[in-house]
Amino acid sequence: MKVESSPPVLFHVIGVDGESSGENRMTIERKLENSSDGLHIPPFNFGVVDDGIFRSGFPDTTNLSFLKTLGLRSIIYLCPEPYPEENLEFLNANAIQLHQFGIQKSKDQNPIMEIQEIKICDALKVLMDPKNRPVLIHCKRGKHRTGCVVGCFRKLKNWGMSAIHEEYKHFAGDKSRVSDQKFLETFDISSFIKS
């Protein structure tokens, strides 16, 4: 019995165009193609942030073939835990540089963010450098830490706060944190631009 391959699956990501404070929308289509090893599966909470910038939850071994299709040069890992050995082997085999920033997870609704802000600024410097692209930003679930870095990036790209909050809530779902949204509102891009 011959098994026929199914047609490629289209992955749609809706992004908000920061030029118009969220009024215009663009659709970015990413084809997920069948390979001899099977379907390339994106990590949980995967999305396209900008040209050559992606976000997600922590990629496991089932996601590595998908990551390979992105042609990544860098990964920005926002958690303090060590990167798994199998993932490190994948990075080394594919010449992908790992940038780890060790931002602590905080469920507190009023966390002290000074240290976190320094680490977020350091992550943004890596993200803004075109030589690091294509780049994937991720934490455990691709919600809070990743959402804060992407939100700060959006502020640097002159997005309006309502659009930034909408994107944050889209990826965080019912786990949205008021403290993260307050952090995004108070993040001072002028100090980042001067550095």
Side-chain angles (χ1 to χ4, degrees), residues 94-143:
N94 291 282
I96 301 170
Q97 187 171 4
L98 178 66
H99 303 270
Q100 184 171 358
F101 294 97
I103 298 171
Q104 294 294 324
K105 182 167 117 176
S106 173
K107 292 186 179 184
D108 186 359
Q109 290 300 305
N110 192 14
I112 298 171
M113 292 296 289
E114 187 174 322
I115 294 171
Q116 309 288 40
E117 186 167 348
I118 292 167
K119 291 179 180 181
I120 287 173
C121 285
D122 290 344
L124 284 169
K125 288 174 187 171
V126 172
L127 183 61
M128 297 297 287
D129 187 345
K131 76 175 184 215
N132 293 318
R133 296 181 193 164
V135 60
L136 173 69
I137 311 157
H138 79 83
C139 54
K140 289 285 186 204
R141 305 293 292 160
K143 295 179 180 185

Side-chain angles (χ1 to χ4, degrees), residues 42-157:
F44 175 77
N45 242 354
F46 178 82
V48 178
V49 175
D50 204 358
D51 188 31
I53 302 174
F54 309 96
R55 65 175 292 161
S56 74
F58 200 97
D60 63 28
T61 55
T62 63
N63 308 128
L64 298 181
S65 67
F66 175 81
L67 295 184
K68 190 169 184 168
T69 67
L70 300 176
L72 297 174
R73 287 187 187 164
S74 303
I75 288 183
I76 296 173
Y77 175 46
L78 302 172
C79 302
E81 296 81 17
Y83 220 59
E85 190 61 39
E86 195 165 356
N87 289 44
L88 286 173
E89 289 171 10
F90 170 79
L91 298 184
N92 290 333
N94 291 282
I96 301 170
Q97 187 171 4
L98 178 66
H99 303 270
Q100 184 171 358
F101 294 97
I103 298 171
Q104 294 294 324
K105 182 167 117 176
S106 173
K107 292 186 179 184
D108 186 359
Q109 290 300 305
N110 192 14
I112 298 171
M113 292 296 289
E114 187 174 322
I115 294 171
Q116 309 288 40
E117 186 167 348
I118 292 167
K119 291 179 180 181
I120 287 173
C121 285
D122 290 344
L124 284 169
K125 288 174 187 171
V126 172
L127 183 61
M128 297 297 287
D129 187 345
K131 76 175 184 215
N132 293 318
R133 296 181 193 164
V135 60
L136 173 69
I137 311 157
H138 79 83
C139 54
K140 289 285 186 204
R141 305 293 292 160
K143 295 179 180 185
H144 306 109
R145 290 170 276 200
T146 300
C148 285
V149 170
V150 171
C152 292
F153 172 77
R154 299 295 192 203
K155 280 186 89 166
L156 290 169
K157 293 293 187 177

